Structure formats: structure tokens, C-alpha cells
Amino acid sequence: MTNVTKVIRPFFEKYVNRSSVESTVLSGALFNVMPRSGLTEQVHNNLSNIPNVTVYKRDEMPERFHYSKPKHRLGEITALPDVEGHIISGATTNAQYDNKGNHGWDNTLPSMQAIFMARGPSFNENVQIDSLNNVDIYHIACHILKLNPNPHATAGSLANLTSLFSLVKNDTTSSTFVSSSSTTQKAFITERFNVHISTSSLVEIVKSTVFNNQLRMVLLV
């Protein structure tokens, strides 16, 4: 989290004509728009005139940001403030921006990073690593719950995290469930048959299931 120090309003400040944009997908530390047909270059060039802002077309986004390529996920053009604390708003007026802080800037910045702590028989004790990516947490959860990650979940990896895990084989035969909801039952079936599981389903399993205290992870921001 970082204090907001400046609000850039491309539409209000006349860098871009609002009528040339079909929709504003995201705004804030990242500004993403879908230009109207035939106006992509114009909108790109106009946004590029904003001082201290870097503008990318969809296929130019740095790979390390893990942004999806399909058109239904992102607009064609993304503008990123070069200065931490600056945000880009889709407002068409000079209305006051009330949020004092925000997040979503470059994830290499220390202020954008969080603390990850994990405890349980799946993990070694007193291990400290320099860093991990948020997209790695999905693979950590799949590993300790003995689930196959979704084959399309290509972002994230356990390659640099092997020192975290204990070699002790975990026994899940006496798993304790918080409730008898359909989600919990589905979690048990998924664990038993080791099928592929999506990120959203995994979140529900983590919320509703405890496997012998194997899963105790805290993400502090």
C-alpha cells in the first residue's frame, strides 16, 4: 500500500477524447482501456503524451506482470504511471479523489510486497526465503493438499520453493471438516481422486476444509 500523491485524469485533462474509448476496464495504479474500432493508435499516442506514464498495447505488456492475452480479460491499451503514488483515473470531471492510499504499482517495489507465513507438518521449521510471487501460493496450496494444479495455471511455480516443504508424508485419512456443506464434500472428493482444480474452487476448499492442520497460511499486507 502506498499513499496517493497525484491523480491523473486523461479524459478531463483532454489527453484523450472519451468518445474514442469504448470502455475503461481498469483505473488506478494501472489504467486499461478498450479503444473504439480503428482508434487504437490514436488512443495509444494520446495517452503517451502524459508525462511520467508508460503506455503498452496488449501484446507489449511485460511478461512478469502475468497479464492474460485474451481480449475478454483486458482492454487493448494499458497505461502505467512511472511514479509510485500516482494513479490514473477514468473520471471525466475534476471530482475529488477520496482514497488516501492504493496498491497495484510495479510489484518489484518494496511497498507493493507482502509478508507470507506458513505453518504445519507440510512445512520445514525456521525457514526463511527472500521472496515468492503471489501466483506461487496457488501451487503451494495444491502441493500440500495433494491436488494437481489446473494445467492452464501456468503462472507461478514451486521451482524455487522446495526448501519450504517437509519430506514427512502427510496422512489425510483423518481429515476434519468444518462443515458438511456441498463445497466441503466436493473438497473431500477432489482430494481423494486427485483431479485438476481451478483457483476459485481451491479458494473454497481452503475456506471450508482443514486437513490435519496442514494448511495454515497467512498473507499479511
Side-chain angles (χ1 to χ4, degrees):
M1 183 71 72
T2 291
N3 292 334
V4 173
T5 58
K6 182 177 181 178
V7 180
I8 303 167
R9 300 175 176 85
F11 300 136
F12 173 75
E13 297 170 25
K14 308 300 183 183
Y15 285 105
V16 181
N17 191 319
R18 180 64 182 84
S19 64
S20 64
V21 172
E22 182 177 321
S23 62
T24 301
V25 182
L26 296 169
S27 61
L30 178 151
F31 187 69
N32 182 256
V33 296
M34 177 61 74
R36 294 195 183 278
S37 179
L39 297 179
T40 297
E41 288 296 332
Q42 176 183 315
V43 173
H44 178 277
N45 293 339
N46 290 345
L47 286 172
S48 297
N49 289 328
I50 304 175
N52 301 313
V53 168
T54 301
V55 183
Y56 299 97
K57 294 179 182 177
R58 184 190 293 113
D59 294 336
E60 298 171 344
M61 283 291 288
E63 192 64 33
R64 66 186 180 84
F65 289 144
H66 299 292
Y67 270 79
S68 178
K69 302 297 184 184
K71 292 183 178 180
H72 70 281
R73 298 293 300 275
L74 274 183
E76 183 63 37
I77 296 176
T78 300
L80 302 176
D82 297 331
V83 180
E84 184 181 7
H86 289 192
I87 67 166
I88 305 178
S89 168
T92 56
T93 68
N94 197 25
Q96 180 176 335
Y97 185 84
D98 293 326
N99 292 342
K100 303 302 181 183
N102 210 330
H103 52 84
W105 284 276
D106 193 319
N107 59 3
T108 61
L109 295 169
S111 60
M112 295 296 103
Q113 297 172 13
I115 298 172
F116 175 84
M117 296 186 294
R119 176 185 177 186
S122 290
F123 297 97
N124 285 321
E125 295 183 0
N126 302 317
V127 174
Q128 182 172 336
I129 60 175
D130 290 335
S131 65
L132 58 78
N133 296 312
N134 282 349
V135 290
D136 296 335
I137 296 174
Y138 170 75
H139 296 276
I140 293 174
C142 285
H143 175 79
I144 64 178
L145 296 177
K146 299 182 180 179
L147 301 174
N148 286 332
N150 188 301
H152 299 292
T154 56
S157 169
L158 297 179
N160 298 319
L161 304 176
T162 54
S163 63
L164 294 179
F165 303 112
S166 169
L167 297 179
V168 176
K169 184 177 180 181
N170 298 309
D171 179 13
T172 61
T173 57
S174 59
S175 300
T176 301
F177 299 100
V178 175
S179 69
S180 59
S181 67
S182 59
T183 301
T184 302
Q185 297 298 325
K186 182 177 180 181
F188 178 73
I189 293 171
T190 302
E191 192 275 337
R192 285 285 301 275
F193 291 95
N194 207 25
V195 299
H196 294 301
I197 184 168
S198 68
T199 304
S200 58
S201 297
L202 181 60
V203 169
E204 293 304 317
I205 292 174
V206 171
K207 286 180 180 177
S208 61
T209 312
V210 178
F211 290 92
N212 285 340
N213 289 327
Q214 289 181 59
L215 186 61
R216 288 188 181 181
M217 299 191 297
V218 179
L219 186 64
L220 303 178
V221 294

